[in-house]
Amino acid sequence: MNLNNRGWNFLGAFICYQLIVTALYFQYVDGLEPCPLCMFQRAMVIALGGVLLINAIHNPQINSWANRIYQILALLPAIGGIIIAGRHVYLQHLPEDEVPACGAPLETMMDMLPFTEVIQTVLSGDGECAKISWSFIGLSMPEWMLVIFIIATSVLVFRLFKSFQQPKPF
C-alpha cells in the first residue's frame, strides 16, 4: 500500500482517535481510573492527533515548508509523550520503599494551585502512578504508550527528513 502525505496524516490521526477511544473504554467500561500522568499522556495523544488531522485537511505538498512545520508541531506532543510515559514507566519500576506518597487528585490540584505548579507536581508523580493495574504480554499501559510514542516520533522524524529530499523526476 502506498500512502500519500494526506493518507499518512489521516492514518496517524485515526490511530490517535483509536487510542483515546481505548483509554475511555478502559476508564468507563473496565473501571480503570487514570492517574494524573495517564491524563497527561492522553493530552499528548489528542494534541498529536489534532496536528495530524489539521495537516491532513490542509494537505500541503510533502516537500513544502507548511508540511515541515506540521511535522515539527506533531513532534512536540510525540516527544512530550515519550517524556511523560518514560517518567511513568520509571515510577512503576521503583522499589516499593522509594515510591513517592500519593498526592491530591488532579481536579483538586487544578482548583488550588497555579497551572505551572500542577504540571510540576504531576510530572514528579506519586504513588498512584506507580501502580500497575493492567498489562498485556508483559507490558503495562504506560510501557505500551512509551512504545507508541517512540514509534510515532520515529515516523515523524523519518517523514520530516524525507520532506527535504528533492522529488524524483518521472
Side-chain angles (χ1 to χ4, degrees):
M1 171 166 58
N2 188 12
L3 289 177
N4 61 14
N5 192 42
R6 176 175 269 178
W8 277 110
N9 289 311
F10 272 128
L11 177 63
F14 179 74
I15 290 170
C16 290
Y17 166 77
Q18 288 299 314
L19 288 169
I20 294 300
V21 167
T22 302
L24 293 173
Y25 173 85
F26 280 124
Q27 180 177 355
Y28 293 108
V29 176
D30 284 353
L32 295 177
E33 283 301 316
C35 72
L37 286 175
C38 291
M39 298 301 287
F40 276 42
Q41 288 171 63
R42 286 184 190 183
M44 294 297 115
V45 170
I46 291 168
L48 175 60
V51 172
L52 293 174
L53 182 62
I54 292 168
N55 191 358
I57 292 168
H58 181 207
N59 196 29
Q61 292 295 319
I62 194 162
N63 59 349
S64 71
W65 280 103
N67 182 59
R68 292 176 189 140
I69 290 170
Y70 283 125
Q71 297 300 319
I72 291 167
L73 287 175
L75 273 169
L76 297 176
I79 292 169
I82 289 173
I83 293 166
I84 295 167
R87 175 71 179 162
H88 202 163
V89 169
Y90 168 77
L91 288 172
Q92 287 187 335
H93 288 89
L94 281 175
E96 188 87 22
D97 60 332
E98 292 181 31
V99 173
C102 289
L106 184 60
E107 298 83 26
T108 305
M109 286 191 289
M110 292 292 284
D111 290 340
M112 297 175 62
L113 300 173
F115 185 69
T116 54
E117 198 171 325
V118 170
I119 291 174
Q120 184 180 11
T121 303
V122 169
L123 291 180
S124 65
D126 64 18
E128 182 184 359
C129 296
K131 293 181 206 163
I132 298 175
S133 54
W134 180 91
S135 69
F136 178 67
I137 59 173
L139 295 178
S140 67
M141 207 171 294
E143 289 170 329
W144 277 111
M145 288 310 301
L146 181 60
V147 168
I148 290 166
F149 282 125
I150 289 171
I151 291 169
T153 300
S154 300
V155 169
L156 289 165
V157 167
F158 173 78
R159 292 187 65 225
L160 181 61
F161 281 121
K162 191 172 172 111
S163 74
F164 284 99
Q165 292 179 342
Q166 295 298 323
K168 295 177 184 166
F170 294 100

